[in-house]
Amino acid sequence: MSDCGDSDAGWIFYKDRPDWNDIKPVPEDDGITPVVVIAHSEKFEDVYDYFRAILQKDEKSQRALELTKDAVELNSANYTVWQYRRELLKELGTDLRSELDYVESVIKISPKNYQVWHHRRVLVEWLQDPSQELDLTAEALLHDPKNYHAWQHRQWAIKSFRLYDKEIEFVDSLLSDDVRNNSAWNQRYFVHNNHTGWSDMNVQREICYTLEKIKFVKNNESAWNYLRGILLHDKRGINGNGVVTAFCEELYKNRCRSPFLLAFIIDVCEEAIKKNETNGFHNVERAKELCTALATKYDKIREKYWMYLRDRFEMYVCVNGENSQ
Amino acid sequence: MTSVLRLFRDIASESYNDEGYASNTSLEQIDVEAIVCNIYRRFEHKAAIDPSLPKLIRKAHCNVLKDWLMHLPGNYSCLDASRPWLIYWILHSLWLLKKLPDAETLSKVVNFLKQCQHKDGGYGGGPMQHSHLGTTYAAVNALSIIGTDEAYDSIDRSSLQTFLWTLRDVDGSFALHNGGEQDIRGAYCAASVAKITNIYTEALFDKTAEWVISCQTYEGGFAGCPGMEAHGGYAFCGLACLALLDRTQLCDIDALLRWSVNRQMRLEGGFQGRTNKLVDGCYSFWQGGIFPIISAILAKDNKELIETVLFNQGALQEYIIVCCQSPEGGLIDKPGKPRDIYHTCYTLSGLSVAQHGTGTGESLVIGASETELNRVHPLHNIAPHMVYNAVHYFIRHPPPVKDDN
């Protein structure tokens, strides 16, 4: 929990401000039997006593707008304050450009907060100007490359205003910094799924890209998940792409036993079985063997899961046996 | 059923291999593993001479939770807009520990929640705050835990239903509050609240299941909104929402199961929230809670599966009991982090799921028998009988005005 930051010298309480003496503060009314009572600072109580008063009066004024800033500074997760601030902005016709700067400064202090990013989004919608959003989110992602809120805002801006042009380069640079950054892989998928599309050429290009990454770091689940994701768009399916299956068998032959490789080969086997395309490499026996190897040696934490899958392959044998009779 | 603890030797053998390519992700992971490994090593020494280990320090947890229910320190100012959440997390934790407060205290809570109730039918983060779907979910769950007529009757169900309608978008999704953000939490909280209070209608949730399923990602988990990354909290919301709407057939269960099992950390034993992120005690429930729901779905084709959950229940319990207890009471995200109410609730909820699985098979308890917690309903995360009691009370007492939308 972050410090709510309210220890500045020279602070004047609202109750001591002459320009506020027409307002009767409204203390929080917890009823006769208060519970979960938070020991707020005197400053917190003072600001919120006046915020409640303004809210109750529905006062739409410049001083109310200033007050919401103080309230936000004490608790940036107070959605009621933000909502009222938006009503004030509309009513007062405030310059929304300066509001963009303001919310940017709050985002920098509280980058993992639903309310600040939502406020930003509403402003961008009102202004219909997304020109700063890629930079703003890139900055937030520089500090935390997996910040969910920042990615969500970025995706929203890109999708709403068609800002796909340089996104793959952005993703590339993040993946060269950290090839295990799953948020960046997800963004790669997002761009292809919403913009580039899944033409056969694009699918093959993405497959090559991913296999290159796996060559260096074989234990990277993000890359394997992405590979499976793009193969959903390959007409030949997960077992029909010769480049991918050859790549996997080569790794296996070279003694790679990454659980993600073995799991992937199991998926290839399963699809081959379902499509009646089994061969020497991809068949029920191989799948069962790999499940056992994962359960007992390479991925013991998931023993129950691998044994469950193994049992399912047993059932394929039964079903296929019945069919052939 | 008893289970054997993992040996330290076996735990340590699972350590991360960065294959010679260090990156932020691998460096952070290696740091956490070093700390956790150290704790497991010391624990094995202690457990060798004290057979009562591992132990849940119930008393400390109950004491701090009871304190928190009345008074909170100033650093909780950040949660001043989440007070019904604090109440739900505390009451649910105490119930899991079999130490719910007395009737008088619970009646005080009912009074306070009335103060948080907005005239539009929802509940705000505190008195005079706007209604919010999250705090409404928390308040309804808390009142269902309390389970008295006074608690049930304090909910204004006609207005609550109207409130839900105001948050609904034409595509079936729900905003968290009027003018607020919209994501999969909204759909789940709305469905949970509507089901428990019996204000659910088909029209209110028209297209909601289709919207939720559009959040299932290529990895198999669910994201907060379409296009985003699969995430434990959102995956729970997605699957639980589909189950509440009886539409799980829309979900690619094999993909969800694959993604979910892979979130359990091979060394730590706890769950991470996303691929290549760090372990966090709260995902013990968000990820762990997905498994009984998956079992129920898979059991439609294979009845045996209703007795089992497909993750490592023992390892998760080890992580929670050995690594996530604060000695002064309360539970934590991971070693080195401070305790807080949210993590106390969701690590304990996850511990309960790890012990009881789907609730139909035998329980599996690591450590002394007094470590065993009460069982939860995986869709609402309150006790199964509390869900039943609330639903049946509200069926017997229909809201004054029927939905005419």
Side-chain angles (χ1 to χ4, degrees), chain B residues 57 59-62 64-65 68 325-331 339 344:
Chain B
I57 45 170
K59 220 178 195 169
H61 300 319
C62 291
V64 74
L65 284 161
W68 281 337
Q325 296 192 83
S326 165
E328 294 82 36
L331 291 100
R339 65 183 184 180
T344 301

Side-chain angles (χ1 to χ4, degrees), chain A residues 4 29-30 36-37 39-40 79 114 118 146 148 178 180 182-183 218-219 221-222 225 299 302 304, chain B residues 16 19 21 23 25 69 72 77-78 83 125 130 179 219 229 234 261 263-264 266 274 276 309 313:
Chain A
C4 296
D29 181 11
D30 279 2
V36 287
V37 178
H40 296 303
Y79 57 92
Y114 285 101
H118 180 65
K146 300 175 183 177
Y148 207 89
D178 184 353
R180 301 175 179 93
N182 196 60
S183 306
K218 296 162 198 76
N219 246 320
E221 187 187 351
S222 297
N225 287 356
D299 202 22
R302 276 166 275 283
K304 266 169 135 178
Chain B
Y16 197 84
E19 301 171 70
Y21 288 89
S23 68
T25 299
L69 183 59
L72 293 159
S77 284
C78 314
R83 290 173 73 194
H130 293 334
E219 291 194 276
E229 184 183 3
Y234 297 133
V261 292
R263 303 286 61 76
Q264 188 165 25
R266 52 180 58 245
R274 300 183 247 162
N276 277 334
V309 281
Q313 295 163 264

Side-chain angles (χ1 to χ4, degrees), chain A residues 179-198:
Chain A
V179 74
R180 301 175 179 93
N181 181 347
N182 196 60
S183 306
W185 283 101
N186 186 76
Q187 187 73 349
R188 195 171 182 92
Y189 190 90
F190 168 81
V191 173
H192 289 299
N193 204 38
N194 290 285
H195 182 62
T196 331
W198 299 110

Side-chain angles (χ1 to χ4, degrees), chain A residues 28 48 51-52 54-56 58 60 64 68 71-72 75-88 113 115-116 118-119, chain B residues 80-82 116 118 120 123-132 135 176-181:
Chain A
E28 183 154 49
Y48 275 91
F51 174 69
R52 276 183 289 269
I54 289 295
L55 191 66
Q56 200 170 54
D58 200 26
K60 300 282 165 60
T68 57
V72 159
N75 179 15
S76 59
N78 191 312
Y79 57 92
T80 307
V81 173
W82 283 110
Q83 187 63 30
Y84 196 66
R85 187 171 172 87
R86 283 191 287 277
E87 286 169 29
L88 288 165
N113 162 309
Q115 287 71 34
V116 292
H118 180 65
H119 191 68
Chain B
D80 183 55
S82 301
C116 300
H118 196 278
D120 67 12
Y123 290 78
M128 283 187 71
Q129 296 182 29
H130 293 334
S131 288
H132 189 285
T135 42
L176 272 300
H177 63 93
N178 283 303
E181 74 277 12

Side-chain angles (χ1 to χ4, degrees), chain B residues 65 84-86 88-90 92-93 96 134 137-138 141 188-189 233 236-237 271 280-289 316 319-320 324 330-333 340-354 373 376 378 380-382:
Chain B
L65 284 161
W85 275 118
L86 297 171
Y88 161 60
W89 294 333
I90 293 169
H92 183 50
S93 300
L96 284 165
Y137 163 85
N141 267 5
Y188 165 65
C189 291
F236 173 81
C237 288
F271 283 95
D280 179 338
C282 75
Y283 294 115
S284 305
F285 179 75
W286 300 125
Q287 305 284 9
L316 177 60
Y319 178 67
I320 295 170
C324 290
L331 291 100
I332 60 174
D333 158 351
D340 65 75
I341 302 177
Y342 165 82
H343 282 93
T344 301
C345 173
Y346 290 107
T347 47
L348 288 176
S349 304
L351 180 59
S352 170
V353 172
L373 300 177
V376 299
H380 299 282
N381 198 22
I382 58 176

